[in-house]
Amino acid sequence: MEGDAVHRAAARLSTLAGATVTRAEFRNHLAGADLRGATLDATRAHGKHLLTRFADGRTLHSHLRMDGSWTIVRKHRPDGRPALPRHLLPNLRVTITLDDGRSLVGLGVPITDLLATRDEHRVVGHLGPDVLAGQPTATQDHFDLDEALARLGKVPDRPVVETLLDQRTVAGFGNLWAVELCFLRGLHPWRPVGDVELEPLLALGRKMIRHSLEHNTGMTTTGVKRKGQNHWVTGRSNRPCYRCGTLVRFRPATGAPYAREVWWCPSCQPVQDVRRGERAGTADRGP
């Protein structure tokens, strides 16, 4: 899940602030945790992590990964439990019932932790600066550009697409933003990050993801919201590049850390010998 979607979820969950928990059920390792009487405070995001804070000094930390979601439910069954469609019940992981008639429901949420708010650094302290720092939903008030650039360039031989995906460098870019950024900057995805101008790359990425969050554009990168036309290369394997007409290439994910599905245009994003300043050819050489 991309960072802008997580920040959007944080904004939605923050509308519950002021409500008090009347019942909480966890179908995971937190089973038995007692939240009754706790009043919800704001929910904040750091990259892809959510921090739902309670007024008693506790935080419910969650990470949605690809398929998890938090839903606010207003309809309930006679026994007080949320009225959910039957097909969703196998994915139910967390139910937090509130005194205002709403419930917070976690569906397929793979990671949850309950910890003291003062200890939030234990779950997000390893992350790089949040690319959406400064937003009302962010844990960070400002974006530390120098820290971000230092982290991005720490391993200069690492492929740029993998570096962008590593949340320990900068937090918030998911696969879509990493792939689209490489295209828009004309970068072969496996180009060593040490050969990349990082500041303009980061500036463009932050501009795009902020626009998606603030205008709720559905993470479109082309400016066209129509499905199939909303991304430059993502999901468009063997289709003509919108810029040059060359067929977009695709590499499936592998088991290596931060190795995700990658799409790219071999003409717009050529392999390049930066040290000689010459193109090594437009044909794909792979990673």
Side-chain angles (χ1 to χ4, degrees), residues 38-245:
T39 299
L40 278 162
D41 203 343
T43 294
R44 294 289 180 259
H46 189 126
K48 300 183 181 185
H49 295 250
L50 284 167
L51 301 166
T52 299
R53 297 168 179 167
F54 296 91
D56 64 2
R58 288 184 290 176
T59 292
L60 179 63
H61 161 249
S62 60
H63 194 301
L64 305 180
R65 288 190 175 169
M66 293 298 294
D67 300 316
S69 66
W70 287 106
T71 301
I72 298 173
V73 178
R74 290 175 172 80
K75 293 183 179 180
H76 294 76
R77 301 181 336 201
D79 63 3
R81 287 179 169 80
L84 294 172
R86 186 177 298 273
H87 72 276
L88 294 180
L89 295 179
N91 292 323
L92 184 61
R93 298 292 179 269
V94 183
T95 303
I96 299 176
T97 304
L98 306 172
D99 64 351
D100 64 359
R102 296 180 291 178
S103 287
L104 177 58
V105 173
L107 297 171
V109 180
I111 296 176
T112 54
D113 300 289
L114 193 60
L115 67 159
T117 301
R118 65 176 178 273
D119 293 331
E120 288 179 354
H121 64 276
R122 287 169 40 197
V123 291
V124 297
H126 64 290
L127 301 173
D130 187 346
V131 294
L132 285 166
Q135 293 289 331
T137 50
T139 61
Q140 297 177 326
D141 294 331
H142 72 282
F143 182 73
D144 191 334
L145 176 61
D146 291 339
E147 176 70 12
L149 293 174
R151 287 180 178 240
L152 285 166
K154 187 175 182 180
V155 185
D157 292 334
R158 192 178 191 187
V160 59
V161 70
E162 292 187 13
T163 304
L164 289 170
L165 288 169
D166 188 346
Q167 302 298 294
R168 297 170 299 180
T169 59
V170 291
F173 291 137
N175 199 46
L176 182 140
W177 291 117
V179 167
E180 296 290 289
L181 269 175
C182 285
F183 173 81
L184 289 169
R185 291 293 298 171
L187 300 172
H188 189 260
W190 296 278
R191 184 172 174 176
V193 71
D195 292 335
V196 173
E197 292 184 72
L198 292 175
E199 192 164 345
L201 174 71
L202 196 51
L204 177 59
R206 293 192 67 223
K207 178 180 179 180
M208 292 169 64
I209 199 169
R210 285 200 310 268
H211 184 271
S212 176
L213 175 64
E214 294 169 358
H215 299 278
N216 196 19
T217 60
M219 295 183 288
T220 181
T221 56
T222 61
V224 179
K225 293 186 178 181
R226 189 177 301 110
K227 187 176 181 180
Q229 300 179 24
N230 52 343
H231 302 137
W232 290 101
V233 289
T234 303
R236 301 193 65 249
S237 56
N238 294 319
R239 297 180 185 178
C241 171
Y242 286 132
R243 282 184 173 172
C244 71

